[in-house]
Amino acid sequence: MTEEAEFREIYKLDVVEIPTNKPMIRKDLPDQVYKTEKAKFRAVIRDIEEHHKTGQPVLVGTISIEKSEQLSAMLRKTGIKHEVLNAKFHEKEAQIVAQAGRKDAVTIATNMAGRGTDIVLGGNPEYMAKAEMRRQGVSDSLITEADAYSETEDADVLKVRAQFHKLVEQYRAQTQKEAEEVKAAGGLYIIGTERHESRRIDNQLRGRSGRQGDPGMSRFYISLEDDLMRLFGGERINTLMERLNVDEDTPIENKMLTNTIENAQKKIEGRNFAIRKSVLQFDDVMNRQREIIYSQRDQVLNGENIKDQILKMIDQAIETQVKKFLPAEARDAWNLAGLRDRYMGWLLTPADLVYTTEEKARIESADVQKALTEKAHELYEKREQQFGPQIMRELERVVLLKNVDIEWMDHIDAMDELQKGIRLRAYGQQDPVVEYRVEGFDMFDEMIATIREDTARMMLTVQLRRAEEPKREQVAKPTGSTGGGDSGPAKRMPIRKKKKPGRNDPCPCGSGKKYKNCCGRNA
């Protein structure tokens, strides 16, 4: 099954291929393979020089900023004027790419750079007009409005639009003449310095040439040191080149080799598609669970009355515990004492669920379940009368939301841990996705049961704090040194600091000696 067929099967989409507006006449030349990356770049430089002499515009695509700067440094040594376009100069992307189709233009760009900008042979008159307006001092905000068609009465905007359309017509005559010269030279020449893992990226690079029936050329240069070649088939081709004693600067150009490279790309695309498909299938399991949980949270957050839902959760929690301790199909395995211990202290009292030997022989699990349910409903109504309906409704929302959030966060972590190791099930001839789905929903059911049990317990046991007026307490007590008796608070006297005497000044004690020889001796 092809990737397109699998895509249709998963997403249930119809795919329609739209033909080009005009026949595509671009020449896609076979790939050239070199032994080393240095030899490949030298060949790229020679190819650029050869086509630059004829005036043919050249657009060179690289896969990274480092490669583009490396190629730019090599071109500077040859003296060829060129533009470098990568993520470092994203503000100038559109301006640079728009003029990549002009005569003698050489542009180096990463494969993803300048997306969405039309490369017109001979130059783009609209971008040329905007560049001229910038040189004339027109602000960027007005230039943005220059090619807009929104209604306005602003005199400055109308003036700029008139100026823009006048410049466009002026440059269009120039670009049309230059476009004919570029077409005669062969159109835009695309050079790819490396094959990408995805053929889509390579096709997007090639697609920058051959616009609207224009002539064009494209060629990819590859070395055996490229990542794609090292991973898929590079050693075999390298062995072949060693046997044939091929020189480093001698390329291998063969249609069969190009097909081999495309097959390697198909393998990588297939692997990546399988990974994306697997992620989607795993995420679909969590998405279904997420929809259930968030629909419940929305009811709480929207302020809906969830009393009936809480009572239903209490009934379901009791039913689950009764089935666990009093299985209907195995009466010998009944554990009535364990069931009493589970609910003792918050739902039952020591006098509840006490049966004689004869009563135990006649009683059914449904009778015990009914007794527990009636006891829970009775206690619930008493608490509602105690707190009041308004407080009880708010309490229901707070308790349910708290339990759902806590259990859901723990469940997400548990599902992540399950997904990390579930792929090992494939060694046991088990489908990891199916196993993840089965175990995931078992864990989800356990989480729902825990939410019910905790919500039921909290609703029947939680106590509310009564709001009390804060008591005022005396923090600081008056002392004799700070109080003045009945005359009111004592006045704080300012502290006056005395100037310290100099070492040779008379000592303030009155001894007649210098301060340094008297009291200042130990200072």
Side-chain angles (χ1 to χ4, degrees), residues 210-233:
R211 164 193 173 275
Q212 294 290 320
D214 290 339
M217 300 171 59
S218 71
R219 184 191 291 277
F220 278 85
Y221 286 84
I222 303 171
S223 77
L224 299 182
E225 296 177 350
D226 295 345
D227 293 338
L228 185 68
M229 298 302 294
R230 286 191 297 104
L231 294 174
F232 296 94

Side-chain angles (χ1 to χ4, degrees), residues 398-417:
V398 171
V399 169
L400 181 58
L401 189 64
K402 176 182 178 64
N403 284 305
V404 168
D405 289 349
I406 291 174
E407 295 299 330
W408 175 244
M409 288 188 291
D410 291 341
H411 179 70
I412 291 175
D413 295 337
M415 292 293 285
D416 287 340
E417 293 299 322

Side-chain angles (χ1 to χ4, degrees), residues 14 45-46 158 176 197 200 212 250 315 327 434 483 486:
D14 292 329
I45 297 298
R46 289 194 299 268
L158 295 175
Q176 286 177 350
E197 286 187 355
R200 175 179 59 86
Q212 294 290 320
T250 303
D315 296 346
V434 174
D486 295 336

